[in-house]
Amino acid sequence: MGRPRISIYGLGYVGLIHAIGFALKGFEVVGYDIDGARRSAIKLGRSPIYEPGLEEALQKALELGRLRISENPLEPVLESDVSFIAVGTPSRSDGSADLSYVEQVSRTIGEGIRVKMDWHLVVVKSTVPPGTCEGFVRRIIEQTSGKSFPEDFGIASNPEFLREGNALEDFENPDRIVIGVLDPRSEGVLRSVYSFSKAPVIVTTPSTAELIKYANNAFLAMKVSFINMIANLCEKIPGCDVDVVAQGIGYDRRIGHLYLRAGPGWGGSCWLKDLRALIAIAKERGVEMHLVEATLRINEEQPLRAVEMAEKALGGLEGKRICLLGLAFKPNTDDVREAVSIKIARELLKRGSEVRVHDPRAMNNFRKIFGDEIIYTETPDKCLEGSDCAILITEWDDYRKIPSDKFKKLMKNPIVIDTRRIYSPEEFARKGVKIRQLGRFLKLDEDP
Ligand code: NAD
């Protein structure tokens, strides 16, 4: 086989990035998403998600004629050699991963393989519990196609580790590529797909590959929850600053600097569901995941600390106008899935505050959740106007540039809860703005 032709099922964050990425690497790619509006937008060169440079990259892939979006779910299998499954795997109510989308796509691919003459490789890119690829997906494909593994089709687990906001760059330069396979042909085809990359390749069983993904997310979340826990202690010890603690431990090569930025808790579509799924996977096998449980518990409580800081600074939240700066779960994305801003806004509403919000990109997604329960403002200035307290949640660059004078001039009551420590407390205090910072004991803070 020359360069394999690629099809991608599910054009969400992971699927779209890969469809564009592979096309720009010279592969012929055909994508399919069950959502017709999404397909239409992508065809027109409009990215349904925001990420720097993504829309331009999409337009380039389309112009080159190497990315096509199909309207027929069977066509991508028939017109490719490798199909990637990149659909969502949300949490079920018991925390386990809901595999219904994976099941549906596997049936579609199986139907395609049934009428196909050539051998076909099926790659599970979605995050799925160990055993899904070689048990669940393989069985569905065998049943729907009437064909056999590994003679007629191959199967591989190829978990994804991209970071939203940096996804195209991560596609280009992954830290490693994990290939979970049971047969040499599947390994060979997947290796040729990734031949553009110099990253180390780990070849293992599908179940190990699947578990690597969960362990990876659990470890990263644990690092962030750990530093958040230390941040809460720093606030209580005179002279303590969590960023300096993080710097001090980060230089230890066994620990490293990354993922040690304390804040109001972690969000995003993956960690919460993946940690819950990991606990469910372990529970089924009689194994306790105490560290993962503690990681989740710390994260549930952390956003409330920002609300409590505001409440303490204001002496009560009832009837107070609170401005939230930054809604996306991190800068450079419009994704608000499981964002801490949602928990903070909900808690403020529950405590009787008027909530005004601003985000450079994520307002539309936030509106889908809160409708007219809160007030959406077009600029940070409008958000601050007349408010009793501002809570900085997401550290977009735009917010770093807001001078202390502005808070003083625009707010009714200049109190800032800086959950990311992007402002200078000395400077703010000098200008008469009362500032609280998560993870820092501030002498200026002490209430008279
Ligand atoms: P997403 O919700 O953004 O996208 C999933 C897409 O699949 C949607 O557009 C949906 O319409 C489509 N879909 C659902 N059923 C379909 C079907 N039968 N046929 C075709 N399309 C269908 O999800 P995502 O964030 O891209 O995540 C996908 C998977 O990758 C998940 O398992 C996730 O855990 C994993 N993952 C995500 C990230 C991330 O940063 N978002 C990173 C690594 C791994």
Side-chain angles (χ1 to χ4, degrees):
M1 189 192 293
R3 175 169 275 204
R5 296 166 303 159
I6 295 173
S7 58
I8 299 194
Y9 283 84
L11 299 171
Y13 221 103
V14 169
L16 182 62
I17 297 284
H18 281 76
I20 296 170
F22 284 135
L24 295 180
K25 288 286 171 205
F27 290 90
E28 208 183 292
V29 182
V30 49
Y32 176 77
D33 196 289
I34 203 161
D35 179 341
R38 188 168 278 257
R39 290 197 304 270
S40 307
I42 297 171
K43 268 190 208 168
L44 292 170
R46 287 203 301 264
S47 171
I49 45 183
Y50 171 75
E51 160 123 13
L54 184 59
E55 195 153 273
E56 294 78 356
L58 166 64
Q59 287 162 6
K60 194 165 166 209
L62 292 168
E63 270 161 35
L64 290 169
R66 288 208 287 267
L67 172 61
R68 281 189 313 110
I69 305 301
S70 179
E71 289 297 316
N72 173 343
L74 285 190
E75 193 182 66
V77 182
L78 302 176
E79 296 187 357
S80 67
D81 307 300
V82 185
S83 293
F84 281 82
I85 299 178
V87 294
T89 46
S91 271
R92 286 208 204 96
S93 56
D94 65 354
S96 63
D98 177 353
L99 296 178
S100 53
Y101 303 111
V102 172
E103 181 178 348
Q104 201 184 348
V105 176
S106 303
R107 283 190 201 292
T108 305
I109 295 176
E111 280 161 26
I113 291 176
R114 185 152 60 100
V115 292
K116 200 175 164 174
M117 304 298 282
D118 300 323
W119 191 87
H120 194 84
L121 175 61
V122 183
V123 182
V124 181
K125 177 69 77 188
S126 302
T127 303
V128 294
T132 302
C133 187
E134 69 176 277
F136 188 75
V137 173
R138 170 182 161 178
R139 207 166 40 244
I140 294 170
I141 292 178
E142 281 185 333
Q143 280 163 2
T144 41
S145 68
K147 297 199 174 164
S148 309
F149 168 85
E151 298 79 20
D152 307 312
F153 69 91
I155 198 117
S157 160
N158 173 223
E160 182 52 45
F161 303 92
L162 61 77
R163 294 162 302 167
E164 292 192 12
N166 293 73
L168 274 176
E169 195 194 311
D170 287 348
F171 171 86
E172 186 89 20
N173 299 303
D175 288 339
R176 73 332 216 153
I177 292 159
V178 176
I179 294 181
V181 280
L182 296 168
D183 68 304
R185 189 165 181 185
S186 300
E187 178 187 339
V189 174
L190 208 44
R191 274 186 184 274
S192 70
V193 165
Y194 285 110
S195 57
F196 66 86
S197 170
K198 291 193 172 55
V201 178
I202 294 171
V203 180
T204 181
T205 62
S207 291
T208 306
E210 289 160 336
L211 188 55
I212 288 172
K213 175 63 193 174
Y214 284 106
N216 202 88
N217 272 356
F219 197 90
L220 292 174
M222 188 179 72
K223 248 184 132 178
V224 182
S225 279
F226 176 84
I227 202 67
N228 285 342
M229 176 184 78
I230 298 294
N232 299 343
L233 179 61
C234 285
E235 284 163 31
K236 306 287 181 221
I237 305 178
C240 273
D241 181 333
V242 72
D243 288 330
V244 185
V245 175
Q247 197 184 17
I249 65 174
Y251 275 113
D252 188 321
R253 276 169 295 169
R254 294 166 300 179
I255 296 175
H257 289 289
L258 299 175
Y259 286 69
L260 287 180
R261 286 283 298 156
W266 43 262
S269 67
C270 290
W271 286 5
L272 181 63
K273 78 172 177 66
D274 290 351
L275 268 61
R276 280 187 184 147
L278 181 57
I279 292 169
I281 290 160
K283 196 170 161 198
E284 250 177 57
R285 291 154 177 91
V287 178
E288 297 281 355
M289 293 275 117
H290 295 307
L291 266 178
V292 183
E293 280 162 12
T295 300
L296 285 177
R297 206 165 50 245
I298 293 169
N299 201 55
E300 256 164 46
E301 291 159 9
Q302 196 66 5
L304 299 182
R305 296 190 45 77
V307 175
E308 273 147 24
M309 275 182 166
E311 184 159 48
K312 193 159 168 245
L314 284 165
L317 289 166
E318 177 86 41
K320 294 287 169 24
R321 180 181 279 195
I322 313 291
C323 149
L324 302 187
L325 293 177
L327 307 172
F329 87 96
K330 59 155 125 169
N332 294 328
T333 174
D334 61 354
D335 198 343
V336 298
R337 292 180 287 180
E338 304 296 344
V340 291
S341 57
I342 299 173
K343 291 187 197 162
I344 292 176
R346 283 225 171 95
E347 192 60 31
L348 289 168
L349 288 172
K350 207 167 95 191
R351 298 191 193 192
S353 306
E354 177 196 310
V355 179
R356 296 162 73 82
V357 299
H358 177 267
D359 188 283
R361 297 282 174 183
M363 299 279 265
N364 282 342
N365 286 334
F366 214 65
R367 205 187 294 269
K368 287 180 202 154
I369 301 169
F370 283 94
D372 54 14
E373 276 185 277
I374 58 176
I375 296 157
Y376 306 89
T377 59
E378 278 160 31
T379 61
D381 286 17
K382 288 224 166 76
C383 196
L384 289 170
E385 245 166 39
S387 57
D388 293 293
C389 175
I391 306 181
L392 181 287
I393 302 176
T394 316
E395 68 279 38
W396 285 95
D397 276 345
D398 295 10
Y399 301 147
R400 291 179 193 275
K401 293 178 205 141
I402 307 176
S404 49
D405 300 348
K406 265 235 165 109
F407 289 96
K408 175 83 181 154
K409 200 173 104 203
L410 295 172
M411 294 176 74
K412 185 168 127 208
N413 208 348
I415 297 178
V416 178
I417 311 295
D418 176 7
T419 69
R420 307 277 180 182
R421 299 166 306 286
I422 64 171
Y423 299 121
S424 154
E426 294 77 18
E427 142 100 18
F428 271 53
R430 244 192 336 268
K431 294 283 166 58
V433 181
K434 196 169 176 183
I435 187 160
R436 299 275 186 272
Q437 291 187 310
L438 207 145
R440 237 177 226 167
F441 178 93
L442 295 178
K443 261 209 234 89
L444 324 153
D445 251 13
E446 286 167 333
D447 292 314

